[in-house]
Amino acid sequence: MIRPIVAKGFHLSKLRVAGVIAFVLLAGCQKNQLLVKRSVCPAVAVPNYTGDLTTFANGGTEANDIDIVAAITNVRGACDEAADRLGTAVTFDVLARRSSAAGARSVSLPFFVSVVQGGNLIVSKQAGAVTINFANGQLRAQASGAAHAEVARASATLSDAMQKKINRVRKPGDLDAATDPLADPEVKAAVRATTFEVLVGFQLSDDALAYNAAK
């Protein structure tokens, strides 16, 4: 069983990730059946306001004080659906630009990878760092990051009873023949409880997060 934890400095109110619940609805015309197919693998995404990082030189906060600007891109997740524990290998790139090309320089940029349940509950969080190496005379540099996250298959799987309720054959004339099964509050709650995401972003201070939100 996964025990929920709340990680300090992680702003759930900022998580507006599109597609928390991903479904493919296929209408079976001959059988008049609405079939819902769902992957148990977590989606991989970058939360709002955490995909960019701006650092300032000499304690400044103005545009002409900007030292480094970095962005997370090319986020990918590879999931093993066959295992009892769903392992997701996350990879991503970090593109960075500095304001001065003078001298060789290495910069360590912190990031986090979290497993989130139901769109708002952090069940695990790990921190890491990506090192960007600028050569002398070079304004731009790139590096790659990687992490691994796991979710118990049982926690991400709907019960047989709920699966039957969702995929029950609906015949023409039934009161709920044209009703989306996800409109049922019980079904919606069960789906939400078994839906997980792996979120990756820069580990930002409150000020850095506010700066991104205001851009």
Side-chain angles (χ1 to χ4, degrees):
M1 177 181 295
I2 296 176
R3 296 182 178 177
I5 60 173
V6 176
K8 295 181 179 179
F10 198 85
H11 298 259
L12 293 176
S13 61
K14 301 300 183 182
L15 300 181
R16 300 175 183 173
V17 183
V20 169
I21 303 174
F23 291 95
V24 179
L25 298 180
L26 302 176
C29 299
Q30 295 181 349
K31 296 183 179 180
N32 296 308
Q33 181 180 4
L34 189 65
L35 181 63
V36 179
K37 291 190 175 181
R38 174 178 180 269
S39 172
V40 293
C41 282
V44 179
V46 178
N48 279 357
Y49 313 129
T50 68
D52 300 292
L53 173 66
T54 303
T55 65
F56 297 86
N58 304 319
T61 58
E62 302 300 325
N64 57 1
D65 298 316
I66 291 177
D67 182 24
I68 291 175
V69 176
I72 292 176
T73 187
N74 297 328
V75 178
R76 300 169 293 274
C79 175
D80 179 7
E81 283 197 59
D84 290 337
R85 296 193 64 81
L86 303 170
T88 300
V90 181
T91 58
F92 57 94
D93 295 327
V94 175
L95 308 180
R97 174 176 52 84
R98 60 176 176 168
S99 58
S100 173
R105 184 181 176 190
S106 293
V107 180
S108 182
L109 304 179
F111 70 89
F112 69 85
V113 174
S114 290
V115 176
V116 176
Q117 180 182 19
N120 64 353
L121 184 64
I122 298 177
V123 296
S124 69
K125 181 179 180 180
Q126 56 183 301
V130 171
T131 299
I132 303 291
N133 295 307
F134 294 97
N136 183 32
Q138 183 182 39
L139 283 174
R140 300 178 183 274
Q142 178 177 340
S144 298
H148 184 81
E150 288 191 351
V151 174
R153 171 178 283 276
S155 298
T157 303
L158 288 168
S159 67
D160 290 342
M162 191 58 62
Q163 290 277 17
K164 290 179 181 179
K165 186 171 185 177
I166 293 174
N167 294 319
R168 178 179 61 82
V169 175
R170 291 164 175 81
K171 299 178 180 179
D174 287 351
L175 292 177
D176 62 348
T179 301
D180 183 350
L182 300 182
D184 184 326
E186 183 181 6
V187 173
K188 189 174 182 179
V191 169
R192 187 178 182 85
T194 55
T195 297
F196 291 83
E197 293 175 291
V198 177
L199 304 180
V200 56
F202 286 117
Q203 183 64 52
L204 303 174
S205 65
D206 290 343
D207 289 343
L209 194 62
Y211 176 84
N212 283 353
K215 286 196 299 184

